[in-house]
Amino acid sequence: MMDSFWSDLTEAKLNSTPIHSGPVISLTHDTVRLPNGETALREVAWHPGGVVILPVLTSGEILLVEQFRYAVGHTLLELPAGKLNIGEDPLKAAQRELLEETGYEAEHWQALGFIYTAPGFCNERLYLFRAEGLVAHPNPPKEDDEFITLHRLDAVDLRQRVLNRQLTDAKTLSLLHYL
């Protein structure tokens, strides 16, 4: 571990001004006291968190979803994922999202930890799961505002797509190292 010039790197919130409150995120401007005693402004996006699932078929293939992402203006190939509802258990959310996005349920689940998506300005924490023993559900629920194409890719194809920069979604790239 590197030695820090400051013994305590904590920034203490002095005040917070709400800027926006929506169904997915809330935004604030916060004034903080820095370790050296000075103050600074922090713009923060507050997010309830989410889940990402690595669904492994018995063939060894991985299920991915392709969907249009409005914020970046094109489709992305990603692992199934979704937002946590307030107070929702991450495993329950992962089970719900896998079923809604892929039509599969899993017999075996393994929690793999979590990642922060953009800690410089957002508190979003994504819980990572591996799902195996996948079984297709005969009549899976669907979300009205999600249009998804399901893909089955083997490890060789996934690696090639990463090398060719065809997989650019950070949460997907983070979780693929668990293959």
Side-chain angles (χ1 to χ4, degrees):
M1 187 167 131
M2 296 178 58
D3 289 330
S4 172
F5 179 78
W6 306 104
S7 60
D8 181 4
L9 300 177
T10 303
E11 296 180 0
K13 181 174 18 177
L14 300 175
N15 63 56
S16 183
T17 304
I19 302 301
H20 167 78
S21 182
V24 178
I25 63 169
S26 297
L27 303 173
T28 61
H29 282 163
D30 295 355
T31 303
V32 299
R33 179 157 324 281
L34 300 172
N36 66 358
E38 299 294 322
T39 61
L41 179 66
R42 299 289 183 245
E43 193 169 72
V44 183
W46 301 96
H47 189 283
V51 296
V52 188
I53 305 104
L54 179 65
V56 183
L57 294 161
T58 55
S59 65
E61 293 173 304
I62 306 302
L63 287 177
L64 289 102
V65 296
E66 181 181 13
Q67 59 186 324
F68 184 81
R69 291 302 198 173
Y70 179 81
V72 297
H74 58 87
T75 60
L76 292 178
L77 191 59
E78 314 169 23
L79 289 171
K83 184 176 73 70
L84 283 168
N85 295 318
I86 301 297
E88 186 177 21
D89 175 67
L91 176 58
K92 297 290 185 205
Q95 292 168 335
R96 171 179 47 79
E97 289 294 337
L98 180 66
L99 182 59
E100 287 175 359
E101 293 195 356
T102 70
Y104 282 84
E105 294 178 292
E107 294 176 354
H108 308 286
W109 288 88
Q110 179 183 8
L112 300 171
F114 65 87
I115 58 172
Y116 290 109
T117 59
F121 70 92
C122 183
N123 75 328
E124 181 183 28
R125 178 188 289 200
L126 293 180
Y127 294 89
L128 311 176
F129 292 92
R130 182 181 179 105
E132 296 184 82
L134 301 182
V135 177
H137 190 281
N139 191 21
K142 295 285 183 190
E143 298 223 24
D144 293 338
D145 66 343
E146 285 188 327
F147 298 89
I148 292 173
T149 301
L150 194 59
H151 294 267
R152 298 165 64 131
L153 301 175
D154 63 27
V156 172
D157 193 8
L158 280 170
R159 283 188 191 92
Q160 193 60 48
R161 288 175 187 247
V162 170
L163 292 173
N164 292 340
R165 295 175 183 85
Q166 293 171 310
L167 286 175
T168 56
D169 174 60
K171 67 185 178 304
T172 298
L173 293 170
S174 293
L175 194 46
L176 284 178
H177 85 276
Y178 285 98
L179 280 177

